[in-house]
Amino acid sequence: MSDAPGFILILERGLPPTQRNRIRRRLEALGATVQFVSGGVHPVLEVFGDTISISTLKPEIWPGVVKRVELTSPHPHAAWGLGRGEGATADSPMLPTVVTIPRPGGGGESASDDPGFIEIGPGALTVLAGPCAVEDPEATLSLAHELAGLGVEVFRAGAFKPRTSPYAFQGAGDAGLEVLKAVREEVGLAVVTEILEIGQLDKLSEAADILQVGARNMHNFTLLKELGQCRMPILLKRGFAATVSEFLLAAEYILAGGNESVILCERGLRLAAGSEGVVLDLGAIPELRRATHLPIVVDPSHGGGRAYRVPALARAAVAAGADGILIEVHADPASALSDGQQALDLTTFQVTLAELAAMRQALNGCSAPGAAV
Ligand code: PEP
Ligand code: MN
């Protein structure tokens, strides 16, 4: 038993002991340890143990109960303090998670200050860039070379695409994975690509360093649970109608399985009233920072919906404290097979990168983005 209760139940004033004991026995039968506290205006039960699973039974609506007050997080692995920072002292504050990826061909042995590793987390601003989808092999490799030349370290492209229309380009499939392998091996970039179902895990792991779970699959709890069993870093995108709490619970599915390498990605909410029909929820960045130790990446491409909005939103995301930016780039956006309307051409991307670097420099000295404020 942990020594702090998971929640307390405030009972009705003057509730007869028989009724109180019925509630108590019901909780104990579920495996909880229960402590009765008297003396206040209302009698109170403190509930210890695996209170998260008990919470699904909603004891707050049982007869005689007025209210439940939560004392632990519903997503303990994602939250500061429980999953992270246990035993932290004043001299050694809680540390945020930094996801480290061996640089393809880098050969580093340890993660600390090792150029053989790419870091995603507070302190770094990692740019993940590439076309929405792997297309023609030569064009994709040539784009990867261009991006590497601009200092990009992580290439992001889908081989299997979750498209709204069954008639739209569904991705290059297995042939696309061969192109991604070449991006890793020949260009030396780390690769992020989307996983649609767990049967793809083995082949995607051979072609990528990070697996993306797209906005549509954020609610695919079977997939999330299965990804909790693997040890590949996961870039989890927020569902476009998901609350911050639902987003963190989705991350919790992966973390609870033992996979500690989860990167959160804010990608905008679909709102008819928003300009271009999508609102990039930049207020979620400080909210997430307060709630979780996980790295936070922002995707101004899907959160912008149109290329002209992307540079401004990317700058705003850096100002709001993002640890990384995911940007769709295409050598010829007009001919892209997917999401060309929001892809930056290389010239605009290069200018945007310089603006992001200037933004970071201007922000230097502002409150540490990793702090649990
Ligand atoms: C994508 O990253 O190309 C994509 C489909 O994104 P999302 O899942 O955020 O819509
Ligand atoms: Mn896309």
Side-chain angles (χ1 to χ4, degrees), residues 131-133 156 161 237 299 301-302 328 338-339 342:
C132 180
R156 213 254 4 181
K161 296 299 302 178
K237 297 187 99 178
D299 170 358
S301 300
H302 295 85
E328 290 190 340
S338 119
D339 282 350
Q342 68 199 28

Side-chain angles (χ1 to χ4, degrees), residues 347-367:
T347 309
T348 312
F349 177 66
Q350 187 167 5
V351 171
T352 303
L353 277 185
E355 289 172 348
L356 298 187
M359 193 71 169
R360 283 201 83 208
Q361 198 154 10
L363 287 166
N364 212 356
C366 287
S367 67

Side-chain angles (χ1 to χ4, degrees), residues 199-234:
Q200 298 171 331
L201 180 63
D202 287 346
K203 64 183 180 185
L204 294 189
S205 307
E206 282 170 24
D209 303 275
I210 303 174
L211 300 177
Q212 172 175 318
V213 173
R216 288 154 191 79
N217 267 327
M218 189 212 86
H219 300 281
N220 184 342
F221 305 119
T222 309
L223 178 63
L224 300 178
K225 267 191 213 173
E226 283 162 333
L227 291 173
Q229 300 306 312
C230 81
R231 293 297 173 262
M232 286 284 287
I234 307 296

Side-chain angles (χ1 to χ4, degrees), residues 44-82:
V44 165
L45 293 179
E46 294 182 342
V47 187
F48 301 78
D50 181 7
T51 57
I52 289 178
S53 56
I54 292 171
S55 293
T56 58
L57 292 175
K58 298 203 181 308
E60 64 272 24
I61 62 168
W62 296 354
V65 178
V66 177
K67 195 175 174 170
R68 181 178 89 201
V69 179
E70 217 64 63
L71 296 176
T72 53
S73 168
H75 34 70
H77 293 87
W80 287 104
L82 290 169

Side-chain angles (χ1 to χ4, degrees), residues 87-111:
T89 62
D91 301 337
S92 149
M94 291 185 283
L95 291 173
T97 288
V98 175
V99 172
T100 53
I101 301 142
R103 201 181 293 279
E109 293 282 306
S110 92

Side-chain angles (χ1 to χ4, degrees), residues 89-292:
T89 62
D91 301 337
S92 149
M94 291 185 283
L95 291 173
T97 288
V98 175
V99 172
T100 53
I101 301 142
R103 201 181 293 279
E109 293 282 306
S110 92
S112 57
D113 294 328
D114 189 325
F117 283 80
I118 298 163
E119 296 190 340
I120 303 181
L125 180 74
T126 311
V127 177
L128 303 85
C132 180
V134 179
E135 298 181 5
D136 164 73
E138 273 167 35
T140 304
L141 270 174
S142 142
L143 179 65
H145 276 292
E146 297 268 13
L147 294 175
L150 295 176
V152 169
E153 295 179 308
V154 186
F155 188 76
R156 213 254 4 181
F160 297 91
K161 296 299 302 178
R163 302 305 302 277
T164 304
S165 166
Y167 307 113
F169 175 60
Q170 304 286 308
D174 290 346
L177 296 184
E178 295 308 312
V179 180
L180 293 177
K181 282 182 197 166
V183 168
R184 296 183 78 244
E185 283 156 25
E186 290 173 29
V187 191
L189 291 178
V191 163
V192 188
T193 201
E194 181 157 354
I195 181 161
L196 298 183
E197 40 117 356
I198 199 68
Q200 298 171 331
L201 180 63
D202 287 346
K203 64 183 180 185
L204 294 189
S205 307
E206 282 170 24
D209 303 275
I210 303 174
L211 300 177
Q212 172 175 318
V213 173
R216 288 154 191 79
N217 267 327
M218 189 212 86
H219 300 281
N220 184 342
F221 305 119
T222 309
L223 178 63
L224 300 178
K225 267 191 213 173
E226 283 162 333
L227 291 173
Q229 300 306 312
C230 81
R231 293 297 173 262
M232 286 284 287
I234 307 296
L235 179 95
L236 176 66
K237 297 187 99 178
R238 178 177 175 186
F240 46 67
T243 63
V244 165
S245 164
E246 288 166 340
F247 189 22
L248 289 171
L249 285 166
E252 185 75 14
Y253 266 100
I254 304 170
L255 297 165
N259 185 346
E260 295 179 357
S261 300
V262 177
I263 303 156
L264 301 172
C265 180
E266 162 59 43
R267 54 78 72 211
L269 301 171
R270 184 182 286 176
L271 286 177
S275 115
E276 301 289 2
V278 58
V279 175
L280 185 63
D281 185 8
L282 292 175
I285 301 173
E287 188 177 344
L288 286 167
R289 188 73 77 200
R290 237 178 132 105
T292 180

